[in-house]
């Protein structure tokens, strides 16, 4: 309340990046392979992945999703539960630039970008962790996605450099 430090912890990440949700903090080495999940009071777990981490998000219940490089694909998505157990992995042919968890943390919306005939396009794909097939894929939006996520009324929003779009379920 007065700006006093409640706790502090060390990390050895060279290019540390942080995302938060609920009581959880995801800390990862951007361009490296290490990440960790913390709460206010403790380190929950730390792990390494096989490929360099490009981005990551955490849900309110501590589920972690990482976008990593891939040797054979544009990128890969790896998802862990709040104990560090791997829940899901997806090799992506599209270049994923942003992730947002569904409200119940049982899936993600992936925002990907591509260039077709000189036009930048962003597309949203909704997945759940217990299905192989996607739930839905949006029509391409002619903008470069800057940020995406769910609004308070559960509409998915993509904000791009020239436009934004809202998607319902």
């Amino acid at each position: 309340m007065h700006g006093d430090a409640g706790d502090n912890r060390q990390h050895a990440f060279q290019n540390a990046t942080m995302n938060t949700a609920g009581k959880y903090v995801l800390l990862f080495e951007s361009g490296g392979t290490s990440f960790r999940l913390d709460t206010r009071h403790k380190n929950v777990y730390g792990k390494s992945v096989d490929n360099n981490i490009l981005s990551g998000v955490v849900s309110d219940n501590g589920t972690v999703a990482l976008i990593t490089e891939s040797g054979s694909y544009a990128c890969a998505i790896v998802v862990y539960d709040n104990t560090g157990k791997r829940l899901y992995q997806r090799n992506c042919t599209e270049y994923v630039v942003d992730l947002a968890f569904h409200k119940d943390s049982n899936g993600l919306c992936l925002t990907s970008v591509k260039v077709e005939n000189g036009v930048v396009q962003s597309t949203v794909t909704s997945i759940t962790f217990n299905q192989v097939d996607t739930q839905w894929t949006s029509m391409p939006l002619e903008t470069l996605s800057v940020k995406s996520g769910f609004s308070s009324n559960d509409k998915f929003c993509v904000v791009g450099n020239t436009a934004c779009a809202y998607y319902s379920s």
Side-chain angles (χ1 to χ4, degrees), residues 28 30 34 54 91 93-94 109 111-112 128 156 165:
F28 62 92
S30 183
S34 298
L54 302 172
N91 293 316
T93 56
E94 61 278 353
C109 281
T111 304
S112 60
T128 58
F156 191 78

Side-chain angles (χ1 to χ4, degrees), residues 35-128:
F35 72 99
R36 62 191 259 181
L37 183 67
D38 285 14
T39 64
R40 180 180 187 198
H41 302 290
K42 68 177 183 170
N43 172 251
V44 180
Y45 68 83
K47 285 191 152 317
S48 291
V49 291
D50 295 334
N51 296 304
N52 289 340
I53 301 168
L54 302 172
S55 185
V57 293
V58 62
S59 74
D60 287 340
N61 73 356
T63 304
V64 170
L66 302 171
I67 304 171
T68 68
E69 292 179 347
S70 173
S72 304
Y73 294 89
C75 63
I77 308 297
V78 186
V79 179
Y80 296 89
D81 70 10
N82 61 8
T83 67
K85 178 183 168 199
R86 186 182 299 195
L87 293 176
Y88 180 83
Q89 182 165 350
R90 178 187 184 101
N91 293 316
C92 302
T93 56
E94 61 278 353
Y95 186 71
V96 178
V97 295
D98 205 5
L99 302 171
F101 279 99
H102 295 173
K103 190 175 187 175
D104 56 7
S105 301
N106 72 340
L108 292 166
C109 281
L110 321 171
T111 304
S112 60
V113 296
K114 69 178 180 178
V115 177
E116 194 167 295
N117 298 324
V119 177
V120 177
Q121 298 177 338
S122 298
T123 304
V124 178
T125 303
S126 180
I127 61 166
T128 58

Side-chain angles (χ1 to χ4, degrees), residues 7-25:
D7 187 17
N8 64 39
R9 292 181 205 124
Q10 298 276 134
H11 67 77
F13 300 153
Q14 295 225 342
N15 193 11
T17 303
M18 180 180 80
N19 277 309
T20 64
K23 67 179 185 176
Y24 292 96
V25 176

